[in-house]
Amino acid sequence: MTKYFIKFRAVFVCIKLMILSTVHGQDNHTSCATNRYTTNIFTNVSVSANVLYGNNSTTGGIDQNLYMDIYEPEGDTAVSRPLIVLAHGGSFVTGTRTDIADLCTFYAKRGFVAASIDYRLYDGVFPPPNEMMAGLDQMYKGVSDMKAAIRFFREDISDANIYKIDSKHIYAGGFSAGAIIANHVGYLDSDDIIPELVLNIISNNGGFEGNSSGNTEYSSEVNGIINFSGAILDTNLMENNDTPIFSVHEDNDPTVPFNSGLLSFANFNIVEADGSSLIHAKANSLSITNQLRTINGNEHGGYLDSPSAKEEILDRSTVFLNSLICSSTLNSTSKTKKAIKLIQDLNANSFKIYDEFNRNFNLHLYNLNGSKILTHRNFKANQDTIECKFPKGVYIILLENNDTLHPLKLLLI
């Protein structure tokens, strides 16, 4: 299938601007005076199994409780520890959280807290009536579930902090389908220019935070990604100085593309996606802290089946994470509060623009075909209102001020 993001690249390549930023320069983590994270400083690991973190309905309509197993270094006295939330592989149709118990154990022995999560697997009819829609929907169900798991920990941090997690060092990762989920947790957000069909899937699954738990007042942001043989729908979802990422991938992977190729779901090719090679190249071009370990081979994750290769890969990942935790310039990412916001009144079918600097703009509204719908010159932020007398769909608002363009996205439902 032709990649469905291409037409949006062509229309908006000159107008999509950097909205997210990285906050640097915080103090080093208190544990960085030791060799924690890069060597096995713990012998044993304790596991809290079957911890309930969410609930949601499967594609087949089954009400499913979502559990995780939490791995901690036994005997650890640290009270503020980095967390890695991991998801297993299995093409979104098979696999269990115990499949990556060995990865979680490895990280826990290095001083991390690691959580292996359930996420909903496809249990609808075979073959699906629309393979692409079913595959994208299943992927986003996984994103919704992982975000709920991350919020579980952030809620705990704000309360008793039973698991002694440092909120500035929460990482997402996984293998294959699990890595695809983690990549989109890290890079897919409401500021991106996204095709309407994908926006509809996101909307049907509770929006950008998902609906797998009700605690959406807590953040699901992550400070880094561990990508084992994963991909992303489009590297244009990545922004300047975005979330750091560590990737490992075989260069002739037949299942998940190393470069650009088709993702499969339940043995159906559903959509073209960008693999680790393109993620690495895009990250370099956007000054995103990243590392790619390329494996010469034609397997899918075969490096995890070889004890020596697996140890070398996991060693590299902890060195990468250690650099994020212990470098004074790379140890935290967060998204800045925007000076400009869209305030939409669904009841009045209108919108305003909030601007903390109270500026005037030339406002231009485009549809996703790149056609201009209207222009409102000398639009007064915080005062003027635009009535939305347009068909349902997705629109791009461009606010022009002193030769600077500020893009916003408008969704009419």
Side-chain angles (χ1 to χ4, degrees):
M1 174 182 175
T2 301
K3 192 167 187 181
Y4 55 85
F5 279 96
I6 289 176
K7 68 176 181 179
F8 302 100
R9 292 176 176 174
V11 173
F12 296 106
V13 67
C14 295
I15 65 174
K16 189 176 181 189
L17 306 177
M18 187 271 286
I19 297 175
L20 307 182
S21 65
T22 302
V23 176
H24 297 307
Q26 301 187 15
D27 294 335
N28 287 353
H29 201 276
T30 54
S31 61
C32 292
T34 69
N35 59 354
R36 186 176 180 127
Y37 313 129
T38 56
T39 59
N40 285 347
I41 61 173
F42 295 95
T43 303
N44 298 312
V45 170
S46 62
V47 182
S48 299
N50 301 312
V51 177
L52 179 68
Y53 76 83
N55 173 274
N56 215 325
S57 295
T58 67
T59 300
I62 303 299
D63 184 71
Q64 180 178 340
N65 285 332
L66 299 167
Y67 297 95
M68 67 172 94
D69 297 335
I70 302 172
Y71 296 70
E72 301 176 74
E74 194 169 287
D76 189 16
T77 59
V79 296
S80 183
R81 304 178 294 187
L83 166 72
I84 309 174
V85 178
L86 293 164
H88 61 82
S91 298
F92 301 102
V93 287
T94 63
T96 70
R97 65 182 187 272
T98 59
D99 293 347
I100 51 174
D102 51 346
L103 271 64
C104 292
T105 299
F106 178 94
Y107 288 122
K109 287 183 177 181
R110 295 288 173 104
F112 296 87
V113 177
S116 178
I117 66 167
D118 286 340
Y119 60 91
R120 286 167 290 165
L121 303 176
Y122 184 75
D123 62 351
V125 297
F126 284 93
N130 184 318
E131 291 89 353
M132 182 181 74
M133 295 295 288
L136 292 173
D137 178 76
Q138 204 60 46
M139 182 202 78
Y140 198 76
K141 280 179 166 55
V143 172
S144 174
D145 296 345
M146 180 175 273
K147 286 188 172 184
I150 293 164
R151 292 196 302 269
F152 169 90
F153 285 103
R154 284 226 163 85
E155 182 175 10
D156 177 64
I157 291 166
S158 71
D159 188 15
N161 201 3
I162 295 171
Y163 301 102
K164 299 179 174 61
I165 303 301
D166 183 344
S167 64
K168 299 187 299 298
H169 295 288
I170 296 179
Y171 305 98
F175 169 68
S176 190
I180 293 170
I181 290 170
N183 291 342
H184 290 89
V185 166
Y187 294 126
L188 178 65
D189 55 62
S190 60
D191 296 314
D192 295 316
I193 297 173
I194 302 169
E196 187 173 2
L197 69 90
V198 179
L199 280 173
N200 288 337
I201 288 170
I202 292 170
S203 177
N204 292 338
N205 284 284
F208 284 90
E209 277 302 311
N211 53 4
S212 296
S213 65
N215 56 351
T216 52
E217 68 272 25
Y218 297 97
S219 172
S220 62
E221 293 178 14
V222 294
N223 304 93
I225 303 166
I226 301 298
N227 166 39
F228 294 129
S229 300
I232 190 170
L233 290 177
D234 193 320
T235 58
N236 281 331
L237 298 175
M238 301 166 70
E239 309 268 5
N240 283 325
N241 298 308
D242 213 332
T243 310
I245 183 168
F246 174 86
S247 300
V248 185
H249 214 134
E250 281 123 334
D251 56 3
N252 286 300
D253 188 325
T255 304
V256 177
F258 176 67
N259 293 298
S260 181
L262 289 169
L263 284 181
S264 62
F265 162 74
N267 294 320
F268 297 99
N269 292 326
I270 59 166
V271 68
E272 193 173 346
D274 294 337
S276 300
S277 174
L278 298 186
I279 291 172
H280 174 61
K282 187 71 170 183
N284 284 342
S285 72
L286 295 173
S287 300
I288 297 172
T289 302
N290 80 100
Q291 187 178 126
L292 170 63
R293 174 72 168 93
T294 302
I295 307 293
N296 295 325
N298 56 4
E299 296 182 281
H300 178 57
Y303 52 86
L304 294 177
D305 296 326
S306 164
S308 58
K310 180 178 180 179
E311 184 171 359
E312 183 254 335
I313 290 301
L314 295 181
D315 276 341
R316 283 176 179 264
S317 71
T318 58
V319 170
F320 180 82
L321 292 174
N322 182 70
S323 73
L324 301 182
I325 297 165
C326 297
S327 169
S328 61
T329 60
L330 296 174
N331 68 345
S332 180
T333 62
S334 66
K335 293 168 183 164
T336 60
K337 181 180 178 181
K338 300 178 187 65
I340 299 173
K341 295 181 181 178
L342 173 71
I343 300 177
Q344 191 171 357
D345 186 339
L346 296 179
N347 293 322
N349 202 26
S350 64
F351 69 85
K352 288 185 175 182
I353 301 297
Y354 165 79
D355 175 44
E356 67 176 294
F357 302 113
N358 205 36
R359 291 170 289 188
N360 292 352
F361 300 92
N362 290 329
L363 183 150
H364 310 281
L365 183 70
Y366 295 82
N367 64 23
L368 286 186
N369 291 322
S371 299
K372 184 181 289 188
I373 305 301
L374 67 82
T375 291
H376 189 306
R377 299 200 177 274
N378 200 31
F379 179 87
K380 297 178 178 61
N382 307 320
Q383 295 183 40
D384 291 346
T385 299
I386 298 289
E387 293 187 17
C388 301
K389 297 180 179 179
F390 322 114
K392 295 179 181 180
V394 184
Y395 297 85
I396 300 300
I397 299 168
L398 290 181
L399 301 174
E400 183 182 6
N401 175 265
N402 295 330
D403 297 323
T404 300
L405 294 176
H406 305 272
L408 297 169
K409 182 171 60 187
L410 172 67
L411 175 61
L412 298 181
I413 57 177

